[in-house]
Amino acid sequence: MAAWSERLAGVRGVLLDISGVLLDGGKDGGVPIPGSVEALARLKRSQLKVRFCTNESQVSRKDLVGLLRHMGFDISEGEVTSPAPAACLVLKERGLRPHLLVSDGVRSEFHRIDTSKPNCVVIADAGESFSYQNVNKAFQVLMELENPVLISLGKGRYYKQTSGLMLDVGAYMKALEYACGIEAQVVGKPAPEFFQSALREMGLEAHEAIMIGDDIVGDVGGAQSCGMRAVQVRTGKFRPSDEHHPEVKADGYVDNLAEAVDLLLQHTHK
Amino acid sequence: MAAWSERLAGVRGVLLDISGVLLDGGKDGGVPIPGSVEALARLKRSQLKVRFCTNESQVSRKDLVGLLRHMGFDISEGEVTSPAPAACLVLKERGLRPHLLVSDGVRSEFHRIDTSKPNCVVIADAGESFSYQNVNKAFQVLMELENPVLISLGKGRYYKQTSGLMLDVGAYMKALEYACGIEAQVVGKPAPEFFQSALREMGLEAHEAIMIGDDIVGDVGGAQSCGMRAVQVRTGKFRPSDEHHPEVKADGYVDNLAEAVDLLLQHTHK
């Protein structure tokens, strides 16, 4: 593999995943990954542009940012690209009225959306709210529609909490796809539109940006498909087999965000 | 389409699906489908061999038969091919110790199976027991295995209860397959081994038997793949679009079991 100086040449901005890079989720919001608070602070003092690109859909962007700030991270709402606001744009553009299969924590993101007489289903990472009754209700809504539309906020397989691996929205998206014989539309990583909107908000071209994430498919593969570079951290849901993934090869693997920031500050143009 | 006399020529035995053919499930066990108690009685008085072939996996075979007898159906345990007993054979043969993602109602079927230190997961139609916590636990067990084995009792998309359509085990099987990156092994319809074991128990060759079911894929397609004939009833989960299914064409469509029995008694050799 080429030297880091070559791999990072021309990088002007960094897209950061949140869960598994900044923190491990869990009880009371989880814990920061060691070194990540300080690493983010250093990154933000550099001339590199920084933006956060998350599939977090169990809490609102506001609550997520509040939690991160409480942990000491330098982050504000305006710096975060997250799927619920993106989904609201799609719903409005297409005149869709969703039945929401989401956690209570993210429901406030949809407070301006008409949810009467649903003509689609929006599914997010609902955690404990993925009861049989709730998932079945979403299924029944879809089966009653002539043209069932399922919008999924990300399609992650699982994420890591301090207590262990946890099923993510993608598993339940697949359950509904199979039961209804349909294909969901994904809003969030790895959908190209989602990365592109984050790039637009940074004012950068894809070749000028690098994604740092713990998900070899959603973060690394998704960003690379858009023409960005991408590095995988060995934190969060990282598993050793990711370094030999049959389809996706990261531009580099680092132990954690702190190492990624070291390399970025060392090898990108000051 | 050929006349029924031609389509039914040489039929010596009938395999009957239960849910959606004999009864619609629901509160307190559901209700018989009109005419089906009497139709079964007539069928059993004929010279045709009769066997039941069900993917029911939410209650034990014993309880299922008790419920049906209470409704007036002429049925005994020995006449029923169901997936839980078949799965127990597979588990024993392969030395597998399952973590059970099943309803309490079917747990008794596994009472002779060693479930300590699980090295596989068995998933059945668990209904309300498909809580996030229970599904996630099964996911975690699979992710901790070096060679994760998932055995699914059927792979139905949904079934019909008196209260509406209900997600079946297949949806949750797909969720686990996707989350773990594995493929489940299905015990039950439409697995050929399952139909073949029902045929063996009837002492018939595939070309001598006909399947009657409400599931165009699991019942009709599955039976046809084994060389049997198959008729779909317009009860249970039947939907008009089934008659134009892109891949499966039944040997005939009938309004209900009563019509199927009329035709069988009229056109098969007395």
Side-chain angles (χ1 to χ4, degrees), chain A residues 91 96-102 107 114-123 132-151 176-177 179-182, chain B residues 158 163-167 239:
Chain A
L91 293 168
L96 291 170
R97 301 179 305 276
H99 169 85
L100 297 172
L101 177 53
V102 305
R107 212 165 277 272
D114 180 6
T115 56
S116 65
K117 291 185 202 151
N119 57 8
C120 76
V121 166
V122 167
I123 180 173
Y132 181 75
Q133 202 181 350
N134 287 348
V135 180
N136 199 54
K137 177 65 197 169
F139 160 69
Q140 290 178 339
V141 168
L142 286 168
M143 290 297 276
E144 272 163 24
L145 297 174
E146 199 174 338
N147 294 306
V149 172
L150 174 61
I151 293 176
L176 290 175
E177 284 188 338
C180 302
I182 59 174
Chain B
Y158 56 86
S163 57
L165 299 181
M166 306 295 282
L167 281 172
R239 288 160 74 97

Coordinates of all heavy atoms in Angstrom, one line a residue, chain A residues 91 96-102 107 114-123 132-151 176-177 179-182, chain B residues 158 163-167 239:
Chain A
L91 N -39.8 13.3 2.0 CA -41.3 13.1 2.2 C -42.0 14.3 1.7 O -43.0 14.2 1.0 CB -41.5 13.0 3.7 CG -41.0 11.7 4.4 CD1 -41.1 11.8 5.9 CD2 -41.8 10.5 3.9
L96 N -45.4 12.6 0.5 CA -45.6 11.3 1.3 C -46.0 11.6 2.7 O -45.4 12.4 3.4 CB -44.3 10.4 1.2 CG -44.0 9.9 -0.2 CD1 -42.6 9.2 -0.2 CD2 -45.1 8.9 -0.6
R97 N -47.0 10.8 3.2 CA -47.4 10.9 4.6 C -47.0 9.5 5.3 O -47.6 8.5 5.0 CB -48.9 11.1 4.7 CG -49.4 12.4 4.0 CD -50.9 12.5 4.1 NE -51.6 11.3 3.5 CZ -51.9 11.1 2.3 NH1 -51.5 12.0 1.4 NH2 -52.5 10.0 1.9
P98 N -46.0 9.6 6.1 CA -45.5 8.3 6.6 C -46.2 7.8 7.9 O -46.7 8.5 8.7 CB -44.1 8.7 7.1 CG -44.2 10.2 7.5 CD -45.2 10.8 6.6
H99 N -46.3 6.4 7.9 CA -46.4 5.7 9.2 C -45.0 5.6 9.7 O -44.1 5.1 9.0 CB -47.1 4.4 9.0 CG -47.1 3.5 10.2 ND1 -48.0 3.6 11.2 CD2 -46.2 2.6 10.6 CE1 -47.7 2.8 12.2 NE2 -46.6 2.1 11.8
L100 N -44.8 6.0 11.0 CA -43.4 6.0 11.5 C -43.2 4.8 12.4 O -43.8 4.6 13.4 CB -43.2 7.3 12.3 CG -43.4 8.6 11.6 CD1 -43.3 9.8 12.6 CD2 -42.2 8.8 10.6
L101 N -42.2 4.0 11.9 CA -41.7 2.9 12.8 C -40.3 3.3 13.3 O -39.3 3.0 12.7 CB -41.6 1.6 11.9 CG -41.0 0.4 12.7 CD1 -41.7 0.1 13.9 CD2 -41.0 -0.8 11.7
V102 N -40.4 4.2 14.3 CA -39.2 4.9 14.8 C -39.3 4.9 16.4 O -40.4 4.6 17.0 CB -39.1 6.3 14.3 CG1 -39.1 6.3 12.8 CG2 -40.2 7.2 14.9
R107 N -38.9 10.9 17.1 CA -40.2 11.3 16.6 C -40.3 12.8 16.4 O -40.9 13.3 15.4 CB -41.3 10.8 17.5 CG -42.6 10.5 16.9 CD -43.5 9.6 17.8 NE -43.1 8.3 17.8 CZ -43.7 7.4 17.0 NH1 -44.6 7.8 16.1 NH2 -43.3 6.1 17.0
D114 N -47.0 15.6 7.9 CA -48.3 15.1 8.0 C -48.3 13.6 8.0 O -47.8 12.9 7.1 CB -49.1 15.6 6.8 CG -50.6 15.1 6.8 OD1 -51.0 14.5 7.8 OD2 -51.3 15.3 5.8
T115 N -48.8 13.0 9.1 CA -48.8 11.5 9.3 C -50.2 10.9 9.2 O -50.4 9.8 9.6 CB -48.1 11.1 10.6 OG1 -48.7 11.7 11.7 CG2 -46.6 11.5 10.6
S116 N -51.1 11.7 8.8 CA -52.5 11.2 8.7 C -52.6 10.3 7.4 O -51.8 10.5 6.5 CB -53.5 12.4 8.6 OG -53.3 13.1 7.4
K117 N -53.5 9.4 7.4 CA -53.7 8.5 6.2 C -52.4 8.1 5.6 O -52.2 8.5 4.4 CB -54.7 9.2 5.2 CG -56.1 9.4 5.7 CD -56.9 9.9 4.5 CE -58.2 10.6 5.1 NZ -58.7 11.7 4.2
P118 N -51.6 7.4 6.2 CA -50.2 7.1 5.7 C -50.2 6.5 4.3 O -51.1 5.6 4.0 CB -49.6 6.1 6.7 CG -50.5 6.1 7.8 CD -51.9 6.7 7.4
N119 N -49.3 7.0 3.4 CA -49.1 6.3 2.1 C -47.7 5.8 2.0 O -47.2 5.6 0.9 CB -49.5 7.3 1.0 CG -48.8 8.6 1.0 OD1 -47.9 8.7 1.8 ND2 -49.2 9.5 0.2
C120 N -47.0 5.7 3.1 CA -45.7 5.1 3.1 C -45.3 4.7 4.5 O -46.0 5.1 5.4 CB -44.6 6.0 2.4 SG -44.0 7.3 3.5
V121 N -44.2 4.0 4.7 CA -43.7 3.7 6.0 C -42.2 4.2 6.0 O -41.4 4.0 5.1 CB -43.7 2.2 6.3 CG1 -42.9 1.8 7.5 CG2 -45.2 1.7 6.5
V122 N -41.9 4.9 7.1 CA -40.5 5.3 7.4 C -40.0 4.4 8.6 O -40.6 4.4 9.6 CB -40.4 6.8 7.8 CG1 -39.0 7.1 8.3 CG2 -40.6 7.6 6.5
I123 N -38.9 3.7 8.4 CA -38.3 2.9 9.4 C -37.0 3.5 9.8 O -36.2 3.8 8.9 CB -38.2 1.4 9.0 CG1 -37.6 0.5 10.1 CG2 -37.4 1.3 7.7 CD1 -37.7 -0.9 9.8
Y132 N -42.9 -6.9 18.2 CA -43.6 -7.6 17.1 C -44.8 -6.8 16.7 O -45.1 -6.6 15.5 CB -44.1 -9.0 17.6 CG -44.8 -9.7 16.5 CD1 -44.1 -10.3 15.4 CD2 -46.2 -9.8 16.5 CE1 -44.8 -11.0 14.4 CE2 -46.9 -10.5 15.5 CZ -46.2 -11.0 14.5 OH -46.9 -11.7 13.4
Q133 N -45.5 -6.2 17.7 CA -46.7 -5.4 17.4 C -46.4 -4.2 16.5 O -47.1 -4.0 15.5 CB -47.3 -5.0 18.7 CG -48.7 -4.6 18.6 CD -49.3 -4.1 19.9 OE1 -48.6 -4.2 21.0 NE2 -50.5 -3.6 19.9
N134 N -45.3 -3.5 16.8 CA -45.0 -2.3 16.0 C -44.5 -2.7 14.6 O -44.8 -2.0 13.6 CB -43.9 -1.5 16.7 CG -44.4 -0.8 18.0 OD1 -45.6 -0.7 18.2 ND2 -43.5 -0.3 18.8
V135 N -43.7 -3.7 14.5 CA -43.2 -4.1 13.2 C -44.3 -4.6 12.4 O -44.5 -4.3 11.2 CB -42.0 -5.2 13.3 CG1 -41.5 -5.5 11.9 CG2 -40.9 -4.6 14.2
N136 N -45.2 -5.4 13.0 CA -46.4 -5.9 12.3 C -47.3 -4.9 11.8 O -47.9 -4.9 10.7 CB -47.1 -6.9 13.2 CG -48.0 -7.9 12.4 OD1 -47.5 -8.5 11.5 ND2 -49.3 -7.9 12.7
K137 N -47.5 -3.8 12.6 CA -48.3 -2.7 12.2 C -47.8 -2.0 10.9 O -48.5 -1.8 10.0 CB -48.4 -1.7 13.4 CG -49.2 -0.4 13.0 CD -50.7 -0.8 12.8 CE -51.4 0.4 12.1 NZ -52.8 0.0 11.6
A138 N -46.5 -1.8 10.9 CA -45.8 -1.2 9.7 C -46.1 -2.1 8.5 O -46.3 -1.7 7.4 CB -44.4 -1.0 10.0
F139 N -45.9 -3.4 8.7 CA -46.1 -4.4 7.7 C -47.6 -4.3 7.1 O -47.8 -4.3 5.9 CB -45.8 -5.8 8.2 CG -46.5 -7.0 7.5 CD1 -46.0 -7.3 6.2 CD2 -47.5 -7.7 8.0 CE1 -46.6 -8.3 5.5 CE2 -48.1 -8.7 7.3 CZ -47.6 -9.1 6.0
Q140 N -48.5 -4.2 8.1 CA -49.9 -4.2 7.6 C -50.2 -2.9 6.8 O -51.0 -2.9 5.9 CB -50.8 -4.3 8.9 CG -50.8 -5.6 9.5 CD -51.7 -5.7 10.8 OE1 -52.0 -4.7 11.4 NE2 -52.1 -6.9 11.1
V141 N -49.6 -1.8 7.3 CA -49.8 -0.5 6.5 C -49.3 -0.7 5.1 O -50.0 -0.3 4.1 CB -49.1 0.7 7.2 CG1 -49.0 1.9 6.3 CG2 -49.8 1.0 8.6
L142 N -48.1 -1.3 5.0 CA -47.5 -1.5 3.6 C -48.4 -2.4 2.8 O -48.6 -2.1 1.6 CB -46.1 -2.1 3.8 CG -45.0 -1.1 4.2 CD1 -43.8 -1.9 4.6 CD2 -44.7 0.0 3.2
M143 N -48.9 -3.4 3.4 CA -49.7 -4.4 2.6 C -51.0 -3.8 2.1 O -51.7 -4.4 1.2 CB -49.9 -5.7 3.4 CG -48.7 -6.5 3.6 SD -47.9 -7.1 2.1 CE -48.9 -8.6 1.9
E144 N -51.5 -2.8 2.8 CA -52.7 -2.2 2.4 C -52.5 -1.1 1.3 O -53.5 -0.6 0.7 CB -53.4 -1.5 3.6 CG -54.3 -2.6 4.3 CD -54.7 -2.2 5.7 OE1 -54.7 -1.0 6.0 OE2 -55.0 -3.1 6.5
L145 N -51.3 -0.7 1.0 CA -51.0 0.3 0.0 C -51.0 -0.4 -1.4 O -50.4 -1.5 -1.5 CB -49.7 1.0 0.3 CG -49.7 1.8 1.6 CD1 -48.3 2.4 1.8 CD2 -50.7 2.9 1.5
E146 N -51.5 0.3 -2.4 CA -51.4 -0.2 -3.7 C -50.0 -0.3 -4.2 O -49.5 -1.2 -4.8 CB -52.3 0.6 -4.7 CG -52.6 -0.1 -6.0 CD -53.6 0.7 -6.8 OE1 -54.3 1.6 -6.2 OE2 -53.7 0.4 -8.0
N147 N -49.2 0.8 -3.9 CA -47.8 0.9 -4.3 C -47.0 1.2 -3.0 O -46.7 2.3 -2.7 CB -47.6 2.0 -5.3 CG -48.2 1.8 -6.6 OD1 -48.0 0.8 -7.2 ND2 -49.0 2.7 -7.0
P148 N -46.7 0.1 -2.3 CA -46.1 0.3 -1.0 C -44.7 0.9 -1.1 O -43.9 0.5 -1.9 CB -46.0 -1.1 -0.4 CG -46.2 -2.1 -1.6 CD -47.0 -1.3 -2.6
V149 N -44.5 2.0 -0.3 CA -43.2 2.7 -0.3 C -42.6 2.6 1.1 O -43.3 2.9 2.1 CB -43.4 4.2 -0.6 CG1 -42.1 4.9 -0.4 CG2 -43.9 4.3 -2.1
L150 N -41.4 2.0 1.2 CA -40.7 1.9 2.5 C -39.4 2.7 2.4 O -38.6 2.5 1.5 CB -40.4 0.4 2.7 CG -39.5 0.1 3.9 CD1 -40.2 0.5 5.2 CD2 -39.2 -1.4 4.0
I151 N -39.3 3.6 3.3 CA -38.1 4.5 3.4 C -37.3 4.1 4.6 O -37.9 4.2 5.7 CB -38.5 6.0 3.4 CG1 -39.1 6.3 2.0 CG2 -37.2 6.8 3.7 CD1 -39.6 7.7 1.9
L176 N -39.1 -6.4 6.5 CA -40.3 -5.8 5.8 C -40.2 -6.0 4.3 O -41.2 -6.2 3.6 CB -40.4 -4.4 6.2 CG -40.9 -4.1 7.6 CD1 -40.9 -2.6 7.9 CD2 -42.3 -4.7 7.9
E177 N -39.0 -5.8 3.7 CA -38.8 -6.1 2.3 C -39.3 -7.4 1.9 O -40.0 -7.6 0.9 CB -37.3 -5.9 1.9 CG -36.8 -4.5 1.8 CD -35.4 -4.4 1.3 OE1 -34.7 -5.4 1.3 OE2 -35.1 -3.3 0.8
A179 N -41.2 -9.6 3.6 CA -42.6 -9.9 3.9 C -43.5 -9.3 2.9 O -44.5 -9.8 2.5 CB -43.0 -9.4 5.3
C180 N -43.2 -8.1 2.4 CA -44.0 -7.4 1.5 C -43.6 -7.6 0.0 O -44.3 -7.1 -0.9 CB -44.0 -5.9 1.8 SG -44.5 -5.5 3.5
G181 N -42.5 -8.2 -0.2 CA -42.0 -8.3 -1.6 C -41.7 -7.0 -2.3 O -42.0 -6.8 -3.4
I182 N -41.0 -6.1 -1.5 CA -40.7 -4.8 -2.1 C -39.2 -4.5 -1.8 O -38.5 -5.3 -1.1 CB -41.5 -3.7 -1.4 CG1 -41.3 -3.7 0.1 CG2 -43.0 -3.9 -1.8 CD1 -42.0 -2.5 0.8
Chain B
Y158 N -45.9 -14.2 5.7 CA -47.0 -13.8 6.6 C -48.1 -14.8 6.5 O -48.1 -15.7 5.7 CB -47.5 -12.4 6.2 CG -48.0 -12.3 4.8 CD1 -49.3 -12.7 4.5 CD2 -47.2 -11.8 3.8 CE1 -49.8 -12.6 3.2 CE2 -47.6 -11.8 2.5 CZ -48.9 -12.1 2.2 OH -49.4 -12.1 0.9
S163 N -57.7 -11.2 12.8 CA -57.5 -9.7 13.0 C -56.7 -9.1 11.8 O -56.6 -7.9 11.8 CB -56.8 -9.5 14.3 OG -55.5 -10.3 14.2
G164 N -56.2 -9.9 10.9 CA -55.4 -9.3 9.8 C -54.2 -10.1 9.5 O -54.0 -11.2 10.0
L165 N -53.4 -9.6 8.5 CA -52.2 -10.3 8.2 C -51.1 -10.2 9.3 O -51.0 -9.1 9.9 CB -51.6 -9.7 6.9 CG -52.5 -9.8 5.6 CD1 -51.8 -9.2 4.4 CD2 -52.9 -11.3 5.4
M166 N -50.4 -11.2 9.5 CA -49.4 -11.3 10.6 C -48.0 -11.7 10.0 O -47.9 -12.7 9.2 CB -49.8 -12.3 11.6 CG -51.2 -12.1 12.2 SD -51.4 -10.5 13.1 CE -50.6 -10.9 14.7
L167 N -47.0 -11.0 10.4 CA -45.6 -11.4 10.0 C -45.3 -12.8 10.4 O -45.5 -13.1 11.6 CB -44.6 -10.4 10.6 CG -44.4 -9.1 10.0 CD1 -43.5 -8.2 10.9 CD2 -43.8 -9.2 8.6
R239 N -54.3 -14.0 -2.1 CA -54.5 -12.7 -2.6 C -54.8 -12.9 -4.1 O -54.1 -13.7 -4.8 CB -53.4 -11.8 -2.4 CG -53.2 -11.3 -0.9 CD -51.9 -10.8 -0.6 NE -51.6 -9.5 -1.1 CZ -51.8 -8.4 -0.4 NH1 -52.1 -8.4 0.8 NH2 -51.5 -7.2 -1.0

